[in-house]
């Protein structure tokens, strides 16, 4: 919520920053890309520490740094100082490795896509606050308030993390395995290429979820435990094709820049003020809220009805549909035409996020999930080139005008469909990759919780 709210508030500050510092669309489009690079750099130590130490305390420290950077950003007296504080905030936003690792231990495996949807809904809430609250704050007090409104929230969340329950690593995977009974293989062994057979009282329920149709686990020779060195961990992650296809999907399909340029689009194309532009941008955000929750629920429901690759297909077809709807939505200059299309496009645009995040987490063993999310975040930094790309195209067509920005956004929309085509390739590998994680967790006990905490808090 805080990270996405920061980005949305920055979008509300664009006009004020341009007036005070005289910078171009291209320069402003570069800021979120550079912040994403810093976020990827920050994710490296965060991911390594998350796999080895208490994750809640790590998040508390990082959130405190973020709050300090937000306060300093509003005090910037020059574009160089503003840029530096933005980069520090970006580095502190590299928290997905710790957050995703925690979520995989907080929620049951069979509801992981739904859990990711709830998690990502926090970003939608932050975007709404940033667009509406940031727009009002900027209109009343000037662009620095786009940053200052987040400082109290950052301090409060940092304090909250200090007392948050730290779940045992691998606990949910072990609990899942405890319910499935005895696992046998139709082939000579787990790596012989047969299918997995399950016996026990839960067999009928698991059959309905499609888990009996999983193939034998994909063979992995690399060291993959928490004690593995960083090169060994990277080698293990490189052997997971589903994770890389999912990562490439998320990178390409999010190469759009709408979170940054959406408010400015409504200002320039539809001639709205800051508060009104933020309000209409929430039409896209409202659709996003529906999509991000519905995507996880739909994917998990299809899984329970026997579609093992449900998360793959929901993500892929949602992204392809988003292109078909958003191209005419942004091409139109009639707000009555654009608004309903933007709502539907917002739904389709975010339907893939929770299934794709869950899919990438499913295929990584618990001891490597922090570093797996770290690697994914580093690669996905490329998606933040979207705002810069739109800024460049806009300047080439018609600098700082409605015409240039409108067609620059339209040109970027087909990236969603391209990402969907990439995701379809994961259907070939996902069943074997998740079968490997299941086999791995069956062979090892769940480790105890890090630090003191109530078991009831993890329930």
């Amino acid at each position: 919520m805080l990270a996405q709210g920061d980005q949305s508030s920055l979008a509300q500050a664009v006009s004020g920053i341009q007036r005070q510092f005289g910078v171009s669309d291209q320069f402003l489009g570069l800021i979120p890309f550079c912040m994403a690079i810093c976020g990827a750099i920050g994710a490296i130590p965060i991911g390594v520490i998350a796999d080895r130490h208490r994750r809640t305390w790590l998040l508390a420290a990082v959130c405190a740094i973020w709050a300090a950077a937000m306060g300093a950003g509003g005090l910037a007296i020059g574009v160089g100082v503003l840029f530096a504080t933005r980069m520090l905030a970006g580095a502190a936003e590299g928290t997905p490795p710790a957050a995703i690792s925690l979520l995989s231990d907080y929620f049951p495996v069979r509801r992981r896509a739904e859990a990711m949807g709830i998690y990502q809904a926090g970003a939608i809430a932050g975007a709404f606050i940033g667009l509406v609250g940031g727009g009002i704050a900027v209109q009343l007090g000037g662009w620095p308030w786009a940053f200052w409104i987040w400082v109290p929230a950052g301090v409060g969340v940092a304090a909250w993390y200090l007392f948050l329950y730290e779940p045992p690593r691998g606990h949910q995977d072990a609990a899942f395995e405890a319910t499935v009974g005895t696992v046998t293989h139709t082939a000579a062994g787990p790596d012989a290429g047969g299918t997995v057979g399950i016996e026990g009282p839960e067999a009928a329920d698991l059959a309905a979820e499609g888990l009996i149709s999983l193939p034998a686990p994909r063979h992995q020779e690399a060291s993959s435990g928490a004690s593995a060195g960083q090169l060994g961990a990277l080698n293990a992650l490189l052997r997971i094709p589903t994770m890389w296809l999912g990562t490439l999907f998320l990178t390409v399909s999010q190469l759009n820049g709408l979170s940054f340029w959406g408010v400015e689009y409504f200002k320039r194309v539809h001639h709205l003020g800051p508060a009104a532009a933020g309000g209409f941008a929430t039409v896209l955000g409202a659709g996003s809220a529906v999509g991000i929750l519905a995507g996880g629920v739909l994917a998990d429901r299809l899984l329970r009805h026997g579609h093992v690759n449900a998360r793959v297909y929901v993500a892929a077809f949602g992204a392809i549909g988003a292109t078909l709807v958003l191209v005419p939505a942004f091409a139109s200059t009639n707000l009555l035409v654009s608004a309903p299309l933007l709502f539907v496009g917002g739904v389709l645009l975010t339907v893939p996020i929770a299934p794709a995040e869950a899919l990438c987490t499913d295929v990584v063993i618990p001891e490597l999930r922090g570093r797996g999310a770290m690697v994914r975040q580093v690669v996905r930094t490329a998606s933040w080139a979207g705002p810069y790309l739109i800024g460049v195209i806009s300047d080439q067509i018609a600098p700082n005008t409605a015409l240039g920005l409108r067609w620059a956004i339209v040109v970027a929309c087909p990236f969603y469909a391209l990402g969907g085509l990439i995701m379809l390739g994961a259907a070939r590998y996902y069943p074997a990759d998740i079968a490997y994680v299941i086999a791995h967790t069956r062979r090892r006990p769940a480790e105890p919780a890090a630090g003191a905490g109530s078991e009831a808090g993890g329930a």
Side-chain angles (χ1 to χ4, degrees):
M1 185 191 76
L2 295 178
Q4 187 57 52
D6 172 22
Q7 296 292 334
S8 298
S9 291
L10 176 61
Q12 287 285 23
V14 165
S15 298
I17 292 172
Q18 284 186 319
R19 283 194 300 270
Q20 181 161 341
F21 300 117
V23 293
S24 67
D25 283 355
Q26 183 172 339
F27 177 83
L28 286 173
L30 187 63
I31 290 179
F33 179 50
C34 291
M35 286 180 67
I37 292 175
C38 290
I41 294 171
I44 295 173
I46 290 174
V48 173
I49 295 170
D51 279 341
R52 299 175 182 271
H53 300 287
R54 182 166 180 141
R55 294 160 288 186
T56 53
W57 290 357
L58 170 63
L59 287 168
V62 173
C63 194
I65 294 172
W66 179 87
M70 294 299 289
L75 297 173
I77 58 174
V79 69
V81 176
L82 176 66
F83 190 84
T85 58
R86 291 285 77 211
M87 297 310 103
L88 179 58
E93 289 169 5
T95 55
I100 290 174
S101 177
L102 272 172
L103 285 171
S104 69
D105 292 325
Y106 277 134
F107 291 93
V109 174
R110 282 170 276 171
R111 298 192 62 193
R112 188 166 283 155
E114 295 178 52
M116 290 295 176
I118 295 169
Y119 164 61
Q120 295 290 347
I124 303 298
F128 178 82
I129 296 170
L131 289 171
V132 178
I136 294 173
V138 168
Q139 194 161 308
L140 294 177
W143 68 263
W145 283 96
F147 305 131
W148 289 341
I149 61 172
W150 292 103
V151 174
V155 173
V157 172
W160 182 30
Y161 272 127
L162 292 175
F163 302 99
L164 195 63
Y165 169 74
E166 172 85 6
R169 218 177 294 267
H171 168 73
Q172 296 291 357
D173 299 271
F176 171 77
E177 284 305 308
T179 68
V180 302
T182 303
V183 178
T184 59
H185 298 274
T186 59
D191 299 318
T195 59
V196 177
I198 302 177
E199 301 173 354
E202 303 293 331
D205 291 338
L206 292 170
E209 295 184 14
L211 294 177
I212 286 181
S213 64
L214 285 177
R218 173 180 50 79
H219 183 62
Q220 284 193 4
E221 298 179 353
S223 172
S224 55
S227 61
Q230 304 312 319
L231 290 178
L234 179 59
N235 188 32
L237 293 171
L238 287 172
R239 294 170 179 266
I240 309 174
T242 300
M243 189 192 82
W244 291 103
L245 286 168
T247 302
L248 188 58
F249 161 76
L250 288 167
T251 303
V252 173
S253 64
Q254 293 178 357
L255 190 67
N256 55 75
L258 295 185
S259 62
F260 183 80
W261 289 111
V263 171
E264 196 65 17
Y265 162 83
F266 280 104
K267 291 179 181 178
R268 294 186 190 180
V269 176
H270 299 292
H271 312 293
L272 303 178
F280 270 96
T282 58
V283 171
L284 183 62
S288 298
V290 174
I292 211 161
L293 293 171
V297 172
L298 176 61
D300 282 355
R301 181 168 296 180
L302 290 174
L303 179 65
R304 288 192 290 271
H305 283 82
H307 301 281
V308 179
N309 277 314
R311 290 171 182 171
V312 174
Y313 294 134
V314 169
F317 293 122
I320 293 170
T323 289
L324 298 178
V325 173
L326 288 176
V327 165
F330 284 109
S332 173
T333 56
N334 187 330
L335 193 57
L336 295 177
V337 173
S338 295
L341 288 176
L342 286 173
F343 178 83
V344 176
V347 173
L348 295 172
L349 184 63
T350 52
V351 157
I353 294 178
E357 291 283 8
L359 174 143
C360 290
T361 304
D362 289 340
V363 296
V364 179
I365 62 172
E367 301 95 329
L368 290 181
R369 281 179 181 151
R371 281 169 282 186
M374 171 199 76
V375 170
R376 296 197 299 273
Q377 183 168 351
V378 170
V379 174
R380 289 173 61 186
T381 301
S383 68
W384 283 99
Y388 178 67
L389 178 63
I390 289 176
V392 170
I393 297 173
S394 174
D395 283 349
Q396 292 299 315
I397 297 173
N400 298 343
T401 65
L403 178 68
L405 183 59
R406 177 162 62 94
W407 287 108
I409 293 175
V410 170
V411 168
C413 285
F415 282 113
Y416 309 133
L418 177 59
L421 296 176
I422 292 170
M423 175 57 88
L424 287 174
R428 176 182 177 184
Y429 303 102
Y430 175 73
D433 283 342
I434 192 174
Y436 173 79
V437 175
I438 291 174
H440 172 84
T441 55
R442 189 171 60 247
R443 290 193 298 266
R444 59 171 285 278
E447 66 180 44
S454 167
E455 289 299 326

